Amino acid sequence: AQKVTQTQTSISVMEKTTVTMDCVYETQDSSYFLFWYKQTASGEIVFLIRQDSYKKENATVGHYSLNFQKPKSSIGLIITATQIEDSAVYFCAMRNTGGLSGKLTFGEGTQVTVIS
Amino acid sequence: DPKIIQKPKYLVAVTGSEKILICEQYLGHNAMYWYRQSAKKPLEFMFSYSYQKLMDNQTASSRFQPQSSKKNHLDLQITALKPDDSATYFCASSQDAEYNNQAPLFGEGTRLSVL
């Protein structure tokens, strides 16, 4: 069975600095996809970035980047030059390849608060 | 404008009653999903549909029944409501369920409170 764990419950950072949050996962599959979403205070869930397990390069989109360490089953999210509007709950999620379910398994989330 | 519309945004129900949560997507996607977010729990996958066919059901209770009348609709009927059903229910969609690198996009959710 798949499992995704985010151990950091909350993080506070100063505006314009960098924040890093952790995520570890468990899967029996050799190929899988990892996603990060954020949930704003209004409840909106927004897709941020994806990492394919077969790619060694870390994905980067805008000021979001990933630290993918496959041997450690770890996928960290890095947000650089943080802004107040980056305050949100960040969720890590995993999907295995194969099958037609499309199911995502989510972690518990990390609350990020950006302070001015 | 939201491309995945969920109605209603808020819903209050009495224990034992039945409610239908509506979801429509205007993204041209072929796969649709339901997730549940309860207090202090991560988002939980409930159902997936592809081309209006049920692909996966991870809910333990038959009280939850998805209904797809059109390709871009996936409603969720909940019968015999219980206080434990109180949660925010999110509808999501992606181009296809079998292309697993696609990130599902989420609607704004329906917050259900069962009294």
Side-chain angles (χ1 to χ4, degrees), chain B residues 37-53:
Chain B
Q37 187 176 40
S38 305
K40 300 182 181 179
K41 285 188 177 180
L43 279 153
E44 299 174 272
F45 173 88
M46 299 179 73
F47 299 98
S48 64
Y49 266 65
S50 180
Y51 294 92
Q52 293 187 266
K53 292 184 179 178

Side-chain angles (χ1 to χ4, degrees), chain B residues 26-69:
Chain B
Y26 295 94
L27 295 163
H29 287 168
N30 299 310
M32 296 185 71
Y33 314 89
W34 278 102
Y35 284 82
R36 173 170 54 195
Q37 187 176 40
S38 305
K40 300 182 181 179
K41 285 188 177 180
L43 279 153
E44 299 174 272
F45 173 88
M46 299 179 73
F47 299 98
S48 64
Y49 266 65
S50 180
Y51 294 92
Q52 293 187 266
K53 292 184 179 178
L54 179 66
M55 291 289 113
D56 194 3
N57 175 0
Q58 297 278 317
T59 59
S61 173
S62 60
R63 296 186 299 106
F64 296 86
Q65 290 293 328
Q67 300 170 342
S68 180
S69 59

